[in-house]
Amino acid sequence: MEYRIEHDSMGEVKVPADKLWGAQTERSHENFLIGVGQETMPREITRAFGYLKKAAAMANHELKGEKMTSEKLKAISKACDEVISGALNENFPLVVWQTGSGTQSNMNCNEVVANRANQIAGKKLCHPNDDINMSQSSNDTFPTAMHIAAATEVEDKLFPAIDTLVETFKNLEKVNKGIVKSGRTHLQDAVPIQFSQEISGWRTSLERDKEMLKSSLPYLKQLALGGTAVGTGLNAPKGFDKLVAQKVSELTGKEFKTAPNKFHALTSKDEIVFAHGAVKALACDMMKIANDVRWLASGPRCGIGEIHIPENEPGSSIMPGKVNPTQCEAVTMVAVQVCGNDAAIGMAASQGNFELNVFMPVIAYNFLQSVRLLAESMISFNKNCAVGITANKEKMHFNLYNSLMLVTALNPYIGYENAAKTAHKAFDENISLKEACVGLGFLTAEKFDQVFKPEQMAK
């Protein structure tokens, strides 16, 4: 491999000749051999840095035009566009497990953008610190990139996944309206419910989760940029914070604002904790929905078997013909991962000592993984399972009319205690509720038939 010599304040470093990064990136690349190739800094963060650096250059051009010249802005903007598009991804090799402020990832971007801008300009035009990092600090850029990435992924990836599954459930509600089945509480038989009502519970859970996620976005869209090292804004021109937030908004098409208190923005990660709490709520609901689906589809002969789900692949290497609810299993594993990520994010966010939180890379990694996994698992679950759910009407009808909890309909006519006696007699003697009720002398056969209408109980 061929190398070139780069230098920083600590001296000279050998850097692969075909890469755009510089000395500080190389030092981190060599010093943090932790999770290499597995836990690289998320590309969502890399892309957010592209937006951030371009916006900063635009703001600096307006406020410090003598330093951020039109020539520099043009070259930097083109380089940042390549970062945003992913064309330069191979030049961002750093892992999550690095400095807790994300300084090295900030410098990775500074070096890549500077070197690429110089290639575009055809001369040594831009310096990583003096130009690309102008009016900034790693301490305010990394939390800014984290907020840009988090808000963008929630809106652009997670919301569409939620909407897709919600629409599927709406269609299933229409198709299954009027089909009555046994309800279940405590994993025991309960009074009747329409299958469409059960599905509406799933749908509304997702709609509510989206509402809660939306409520977190105004906080995620507050940016720390402009606070520089400790929140005072040292070395940033007056008005830079508001202007750069405006530029980020223009570039992303989303409404970002400068954080009103930069001391808070640098050290507290409460916005991320709050937003991930809503992500976890969605994961918990998806766990519940997936479990409901696989319970209701359990069988095919020895389980509940009230619904059919698509058969996607063989389920056993030893049992011929076995098919498993694998999409449900994938969703529930993702939900477990999200809950684990939430614990990590909460613990990391509690470690904001004095003027800076130094657990930001792991917070960003876990948040973005949660959003990505949830969105992708929901799309997969929708495509390969939910759209193919059909009711087993015969099994629903059989279970409904064999449920002892239908005795609840008799409460107004024979009272709670006599209804309980009826249910126990029916269960103990393995006879119908009608036979038990008539046998105990609580109702005549004619009166029982008049008042006992299971389908009416679900309205």
Side-chain angles (χ1 to χ4, degrees), residues 176 179 195 296 300 304-308 390-398:
N176 293 285
I179 299 175
F195 187 33
L296 291 173
I304 294 176
E306 290 186 347
I307 65 173
H308 300 294
T390 57
N392 184 343
K393 297 178 184 179
E394 293 76 17
K395 189 64 181 290
M396 286 183 176
H397 185 271
F398 176 83

Side-chain angles (χ1 to χ4, degrees), residues 178-183 190-195 197 396-410 413 433-434 447-459:
I179 299 175
V180 179
K181 61 185 287 292
S182 178
V191 296
I193 186 174
Q194 291 186 36
F195 187 33
Q197 293 171 328
M396 286 183 176
H397 185 271
F398 176 83
N399 288 343
L400 175 65
Y401 275 83
N402 278 274
S403 171
L404 295 177
M405 288 306 99
L406 294 178
V407 77
T408 307
L410 302 180
Y413 305 97
L433 287 173
K434 180 178 180 179
K447 183 64 175 177
F448 185 93
D449 289 338
Q450 182 183 343
V451 301
F452 189 76
K453 299 184 184 298
E455 281 77 12
Q456 301 273 336
M457 297 172 68
K459 292 184 178 178

Side-chain angles (χ1 to χ4, degrees), residues 119-370:
Q119 286 181 351
I120 292 168
K123 61 181 179 180
K124 189 77 170 178
L125 180 67
C126 297
H127 187 278
N129 298 82
D130 295 336
D131 297 305
I132 316 304
N133 203 58
M134 186 187 297
S135 308
Q136 305 153 62
S137 162
S138 297
N139 296 353
D140 66 350
T141 58
F142 197 91
T144 295
M146 185 161 60
H147 275 214
I148 293 171
T152 299
E153 293 305 295
V154 167
E155 285 191 336
D156 295 353
K157 183 168 286 186
L158 197 50
F159 283 175
I162 294 173
D163 292 343
T164 297
L165 192 50
V166 164
E167 285 304 310
T168 293
F169 287 151
K170 284 181 179 179
N171 291 332
L172 287 173
E173 286 177 65
K174 294 177 184 176
V175 170
N176 293 285
K177 190 172 181 61
I179 299 175
V180 179
K181 61 185 287 292
S182 178
R184 294 179 177 84
T185 59
H186 302 271
L187 294 181
Q188 303 294 308
D189 301 344
V191 296
I193 186 174
Q194 291 186 36
F195 187 33
S196 60
Q197 293 171 328
E198 192 167 41
I199 297 169
S200 77
W202 302 341
R203 169 183 55 79
T204 302
S205 293
L206 299 183
E207 291 173 334
R208 181 59 53 83
D209 291 329
K210 184 178 178 181
E211 290 173 3
M212 290 189 288
L213 279 163
K214 278 186 174 180
S215 74
S216 72
L217 288 175
Y219 305 109
L220 285 182
K221 290 182 177 179
Q222 292 185 7
L223 304 182
L225 208 58
T228 65
V230 295
T232 60
L234 179 68
N235 291 346
K238 185 177 180 180
F240 176 79
D241 55 350
K242 292 181 180 178
L243 184 58
V244 77
Q246 176 187 322
K247 300 300 183 184
V248 170
S249 300
E250 292 172 3
L251 293 173
T252 61
K254 302 181 185 300
E255 188 178 352
F256 289 97
K257 297 180 179 179
T258 190
N261 187 307
K262 304 301 187 300
F263 307 105
H264 164 85
L266 267 59
T267 192
S268 174
K269 302 299 122 192
D270 50 10
E271 301 93 347
I272 288 281
V273 172
F274 179 69
H276 196 271
V279 173
K280 183 176 73 169
L282 174 61
C284 291
D285 280 329
M286 284 304 302
M287 172 76 87
K288 179 263 191 297
I289 292 167
N291 277 333
D292 281 359
V293 169
R294 64 175 170 178
W295 272 109
L296 291 173
S298 61
R301 292 186 174 177
C302 300
I304 294 176
E306 290 186 347
I307 65 173
H308 300 294
I309 59 175
E311 298 181 350
N312 296 322
E313 62 271 319
S316 173
S317 60
I318 188 173
M319 293 176 281
K322 196 172 191 301
V323 180
N324 297 328
T326 52
Q327 290 294 318
C328 298
E329 292 164 7
V331 167
T332 55
M333 285 191 289
V334 165
V336 168
Q337 183 66 51
V338 172
C339 289
N341 288 349
D342 192 72
I345 289 171
M347 181 61 69
S350 72
Q351 302 302 304
N353 298 324
F354 304 115
E355 279 64 62
L356 186 67
N357 178 288
V358 291
F359 287 72
M360 287 188 287
V362 72
I363 291 174
Y365 178 77
N366 281 283
F367 186 98
L368 294 169
Q369 184 194 56
S370 290

